[in-house]
Amino acid sequence: MSFPSLKLLHLPLFKGIPEDVTDHERAYRSYQRAAAVVKAYGMTAADILQCTPRFWEFYLDLIGAFDCATYTLVTIQMNLAAGTLAPFAEKQPQYRKLLDQILNFEISAQYMLTEVEHGLDANNLETTATMLPTGEFDLHTPSLGGAKIMPPSLPVKGLPKVAIVFAQLIVSGETRGVRPFITWLNDGKHMCNGVTAKLLPRRAASKPVNHAITNFNHVRLPHSALLGTLDKPKDVRKHFLSSIWRIGVGTLALPLNMISVMKRAVFVAGKYSQRRHISGPDQKLKPIISFPTQYGPILHALAQIFVFEAYARRSIQYFQDTNLAPPVRHAMGTMSKAVLYKTSQACLFTLSERCGAQGLYENNHIIESMVETRGISIAEGDTLVLSIRLTSDLLLNHYKIPPAKDPTSFLAKHEQGLLDELRGMTNIKSGGHHGEDFDRLILPRSQEFVEAIGYRIAYEAAIEAGVHSDLVSLYEIWVMLQDQSWFVQYAGLTRQHMFQMEAERLSVVLPRLDVLLDATGAEPYCTAPILSQTSWEQFVDSLETKTGSDTENTGLSRGGMAML
């Protein structure tokens, strides 16, 4: 599949950045790249509102793995900011110019919901927007804990920034729930009056995005800054959830990037493992890819990638299906996030190790991607908390997930088995599902259960999408090995049998290694020096070099010995 970003890779803007470039310059480069990606896609308000195939295509684009900072900026701009504004612009022409500017990346748009001390309980945020007698609003941060955290609000080289800021609406002394407000942050050079941004340190080993802590000191906003009405909603929580509906979209969309990240990592690890040779007992050179400990993780990753591509499209179909209840649609995002994040992080860790010392360097992509994507587990809803909520809802029969198409499959049995175990634990007299025993016994296993449902849906999606049966079978045994004790206890299998199944399935897929690596489409997005002997030699030639010429080793040695 060819993505719109492919034509951008030859541009100087997307070439490597010298090591001596400052973080501010690097961040600016990410904004420039984000603007280029947005223009390459040319998404309209309808694409954003309706979540069209073009909208979802971006989240599967390998450009997200190529530059995670750019991916972050585009996601905030198009899904969160533009997605929140678009429904209002559709009905009120006064917002259309601003929306067009955001869609064209003429300005940088941010989304300010989370506060320092209010993450998952964002409906209790402290920032206030008090209506004044003039009809204007006074936007204010009452404490350090109420400051907005993460969105990059500092000026970036002449690119104006605006934000959708969520605050408690106060009218005539009455709090009327959380509302979004259009708030200008800076003009690209200077912060707006009353807006203060404090630059946070760069996230470990990641490309800088200039994340910040932002405070508002009685910032005066026009009445038109309010997105929505002044009326107090009948159901405050329901209204709040409807205001942040793009978070739900992001719960599914954001983790899709992990598929691209895995493609890039496995391509590098696979090609390197074919190129790297070691001497065997007979002193003959053999490629390290010939060892099961090397090709095993690589083939497992490839099987997961092709299965997860089918899973991603199935999850999108479910999410877009208006015949499904909203909680069920959101559950699909939760499961995808749990499965894709957990699997990809484990995959990246193993692939990094299999590249030895080379796996430790960020320019070889793997460890860099592993660290940069850590935040996906937290962004748009903490994976564990989402899993706990979903598990609780299913145990209480609030709604049901689409059932297994083949209840006799190993993965369907595993899912049902875990559900039965959890339901057995909820029949506890001391507090029921809200008691201490529920917290001790159910909460720690919630994510494992959610992953099991996702693994089963992914398996079925891959079969229906026509993914090669050998890859599906390899994926299946990988899932089974994640919970060996269950399959030994309930499926009549032994550990030895499962390991034998894995070995046989790996052997069947191994001959197609090159074809599968090329099918990822990752090559144009990879610049790792270890990909080939030529690129490695060019990389070594580019390194800072010092060569001895005047100092004699013998004299230095004698001097050293004399000192000893």
Side-chain angles (χ1 to χ4, degrees):
M1 180 179 182
S2 178
F3 295 105
S5 66
L6 191 61
K7 63 184 180 182
L8 301 175
L9 298 180
H10 72 280
L11 299 176
L13 178 62
F14 287 82
K15 299 303 179 182
I17 304 174
E19 289 294 327
D20 59 351
V21 173
T22 66
D23 278 0
H24 286 293
E25 289 290 336
R26 289 175 183 273
Y28 179 56
R29 176 74 67 94
S30 293
Y31 280 92
Q32 290 180 302
R33 286 178 172 181
V37 171
V38 167
K39 290 172 183 175
Y41 268 87
M43 280 189 270
T44 65
D47 289 317
I48 303 298
L49 269 175
Q50 299 166 21
C51 295
T52 63
R54 195 159 188 78
F55 172 83
W56 294 111
E57 183 182 10
F58 164 72
Y59 290 94
L60 293 168
D61 193 320
L62 276 149
I63 199 67
F66 181 84
D67 188 334
C68 287
T70 293
Y71 180 78
T72 297
L73 292 171
V74 175
T75 295
I76 296 171
Q77 183 98 0
M78 304 305 282
N79 178 49
L80 296 178
T84 301
L85 182 60
F88 298 96
E90 193 175 39
K91 299 176 182 178
Q92 298 169 270
Q94 60 182 326
Y95 299 123
R96 289 178 187 169
K97 180 179 178 181
L98 176 61
L99 179 60
D100 287 341
Q101 289 177 308
I102 293 173
L103 292 176
N104 294 325
F105 218 103
E106 296 170 8
I107 59 176
S108 171
Q110 303 302 324
Y111 185 87
M112 294 189 169
L113 175 64
T114 304
E115 296 178 349
V116 172
E117 294 185 5
H118 300 280
L120 297 171
D121 64 335
N123 56 317
N124 295 317
L125 54 80
E126 297 179 39
T127 305
T128 58
T130 304
M131 186 175 178
L132 304 174
T134 60
E136 297 173 302
F137 296 98
D138 179 282
L139 182 67
H140 186 62
T141 303
S143 69
L144 177 59
K148 301 298 182 181
I149 187 168
M150 290 305 282
S153 53
L154 286 89
V156 177
K157 284 196 175 183
L159 183 67
K161 285 190 176 181
V162 70
I164 305 296
V165 179
F166 287 82
Q168 299 282 359
L169 172 63
I170 299 176
V171 180
S172 301
E174 179 186 34
T175 301
R176 299 189 177 180
V178 175
R179 297 287 200 286
F181 292 83
I182 299 170
T183 307
W184 286 95
L185 303 174
N186 61 68
D187 63 359
K189 295 181 180 179
H190 307 288
M191 299 299 294
C192 293
N193 187 35
V195 183
T196 300
K198 294 180 179 291
L199 180 64
L200 287 166
R202 190 210 286 202
R203 292 180 298 118
S206 65
K207 294 181 178 65
V209 184
N210 288 358
H211 292 294
I213 294 176
T214 308
N215 291 275
F216 302 100
N217 184 22
H218 297 292
V219 176
R220 191 67 61 88
L221 300 178
H223 189 82
S224 59
L226 169 65
L227 295 177
T229 70
L230 293 170
D231 300 334
K232 185 173 182 177
K234 294 180 180 179
D235 187 327
V236 175
R237 176 166 176 74
K238 186 176 181 180
H239 183 269
F240 170 71
L241 293 176
S242 68
S243 297
I244 62 168
W245 71 287
R246 296 305 297 201
I247 294 289
V249 177
T251 299
L252 171 58
L254 198 60
L256 297 182
N257 183 46
M258 300 310 300
I259 299 174
S260 297
V261 167
M262 290 175 68
K263 286 181 177 181
R264 197 165 178 243
V266 77
F267 186 83
V268 171
K271 294 298 183 181
Y272 172 72
S273 298
Q274 291 175 315
R275 184 177 70 81
R276 179 84 162 85
H277 288 67
I278 62 171
S279 297
D282 56 1
Q283 298 304 308
K284 292 183 179 180
L285 290 176
K286 58 189 304 185
I288 60 175
I289 193 64
S290 61
F291 296 96
T293 49
Q294 196 72 18
Y295 68 68
I298 290 171
L299 294 179
H300 273 305
L302 286 165
Q304 291 159 13
I305 285 168
F306 290 102
V307 168
F308 288 160
E309 281 193 315
Y311 179 38
R313 301 192 187 285
R314 169 57 57 80
S315 296
I316 292 169
Q317 289 174 358
Y318 276 137
F319 190 84
Q320 297 286 86
D321 187 353
T322 55
N323 292 319
L324 294 176
V328 177
R329 294 162 64 191
H330 189 266
M332 295 302 162
T334 296
M335 287 183 290
S336 293
K337 182 170 187 173
V339 167
L340 294 177
Y341 178 77
K342 172 79 171 292
T343 306
S344 61
Q345 284 291 310
C347 165
L348 293 170
F349 180 85
T350 303
L351 293 179
S352 174
E353 282 198 326
R354 299 278 49 80
C355 290
Q358 298 289 7
L360 301 176
Y361 290 92
E362 61 180 293
N363 59 0
N364 288 325
H365 306 331
I366 304 175
I367 196 73
E368 172 195 42
S369 295
M370 179 180 175
V371 177
E372 283 201 315
T373 56
R374 295 282 292 178
I376 287 180
S377 176
I378 303 167
E380 267 77 313
D382 182 279
T383 306
L384 176 58
V385 176
L386 291 174
S387 297
I388 290 171
R389 289 174 180 168
L390 173 55
T391 299
S392 298
D393 285 344
L394 294 179
L395 290 176
L396 294 170
N397 293 313
H398 288 168
Y399 51 84
K400 292 184 178 180
I401 298 300
K405 298 180 182 301
D406 178 9
T408 66
S409 72
F410 279 126
L411 301 195
K413 289 181 178 179
H414 180 234
E415 172 194 345
Q416 185 62 47
L418 294 185
L419 177 59
D420 292 342
E421 284 183 1
L422 294 178
R423 279 184 171 154
M425 293 179 185
T426 57
N427 295 322
I428 301 172
K429 296 180 180 179
S430 57
H433 68 276
H434 292 300
E436 180 180 344
D437 286 332
F438 182 89
D439 292 346
R440 289 190 304 108
L441 299 175
I442 304 300
L443 266 59
R445 299 188 59 194
S446 294
Q447 188 166 333
E448 173 193 23
F449 171 55
V450 169
E451 289 166 4
I453 307 174
Y455 288 145
R456 183 266 298 171
I457 295 177
Y459 172 77
E460 294 176 343
I463 292 175
E464 292 192 7
V467 176
H468 198 288
S469 59
D470 292 341
L471 293 175
V472 177
S473 294
L474 182 55
Y475 163 80
E476 178 189 42
I477 190 59
W478 175 83
V479 175
M480 294 167 66
L481 288 171
Q482 306 311 298
D483 193 0
Q484 297 174 39
S485 63
W486 189 91
F487 288 96
V488 169
Q489 185 174 358
Y490 296 107
L493 299 175
T494 64
R495 282 162 43 86
Q496 293 90 333
H497 185 195
M498 285 187 279
F499 289 135
Q500 183 65 33
M501 290 169 64
E502 179 192 28
E504 291 173 355
R505 295 178 187 186
L506 285 170
S507 296
V508 169
V509 176
L510 181 59
R512 297 207 305 279
L513 175 61
D514 275 324
V515 173
L516 294 173
L517 288 174
D518 292 339
T520 64
E523 185 172 13
Y525 297 85
C526 294
T527 59
I530 61 173
L531 278 172
S532 69
Q533 187 62 30
T534 299
S535 60
W536 173 249
E537 291 174 359
Q538 292 173 344
F539 168 72
V540 172
D541 287 343
S542 71
L543 296 175
E544 179 181 347
T545 305
K546 295 184 184 298
T547 303
S549 57
D550 298 326
T551 303
E552 292 288 341
N553 274 300
T554 54
L556 181 61
S557 177
R558 287 197 298 271
M561 290 297 289
M563 291 177 67
L564 289 174

